[in-house]
Amino acid sequence: MANIVELGGATHVALDGLTTERLLQVGATHVVCASDRLVIGPSRGDALEHARARRAWWNSTEEWDKLYSSDVHWEPPIALWVSASLHERVNLWRICSWLRHLGFAHHDIFILDFDPHSTVESSKP
């Protein structure tokens, strides 16, 4: 399995702010934060309509979820960092659907399942 050093040039998708910060600390250069508690509020099939409905639901104009952002430059491999929490599993489905929409093949995507109470480390002996 690839480690964080081998995936250093990957597009990393973090599902919370803490994971985003930790990935940047260990040297990941391209991190996309895709965090949304989808188990609460509306959900739409169309990405742009979904983002609009979510902003309206949360009454926010802040773009804290960057998954659909036009600023993101997706480059394989893509590493998805996900824990066993329900809201992250639902986000995993959403992210995989979006990556399929963008035309990425399954072999370009790594799903890294971790315990949310552990830390991301760059390497172990």
Side-chain angles (χ1 to χ4, degrees):
M1 182 172 137
N3 65 32
I4 188 73
V5 174
E6 293 169 346
L7 292 173
T11 301
H12 294 270
V13 182
L15 283 81
D16 64 60
L18 184 60
T19 303
T20 300
E21 290 174 24
R22 188 65 180 126
L23 286 167
L24 292 169
Q25 288 173 354
V26 298
T29 57
H30 187 72
V31 181
V32 177
C33 187
S35 178
D36 194 352
R37 295 211 177 252
L38 296 169
V39 295
I40 302 169
S43 183
R44 304 288 188 267
D46 177 75
L48 296 177
E49 176 58 22
H50 173 79
R52 188 209 57 75
R54 298 301 290 174
R55 281 191 306 273
W57 171 263
W58 293 112
N59 194 28
S60 174
T61 58
E62 185 178 344
E63 189 182 26
W64 36 265
D65 182 298
K66 302 285 188 181
L67 183 63
Y68 307 124
S69 175
S70 60
D71 296 337
V72 175
H73 182 69
W74 296 97
E75 284 293 326
I78 299 171
L80 308 177
W81 295 84
V82 62
S83 76
S85 77
L86 177 60
H87 84 89
E88 288 195 11
R89 292 301 170 151
V90 174
N91 266 305
L92 176 62
W93 297 333
R94 175 178 73 114
I95 294 163
C96 288
S97 175
W98 181 244
L99 294 174
R100 182 177 47 223
H101 170 80
L102 294 176
F104 287 100
H106 69 279
H107 56 79
D108 290 329
I109 301 166
F110 295 88
I111 298 174
L112 302 148
D113 196 352
F114 68 97
D115 177 350
H117 302 292
S118 67
T119 59
V120 177
E121 297 181 24
S122 60
S123 64
K124 287 190 174 186

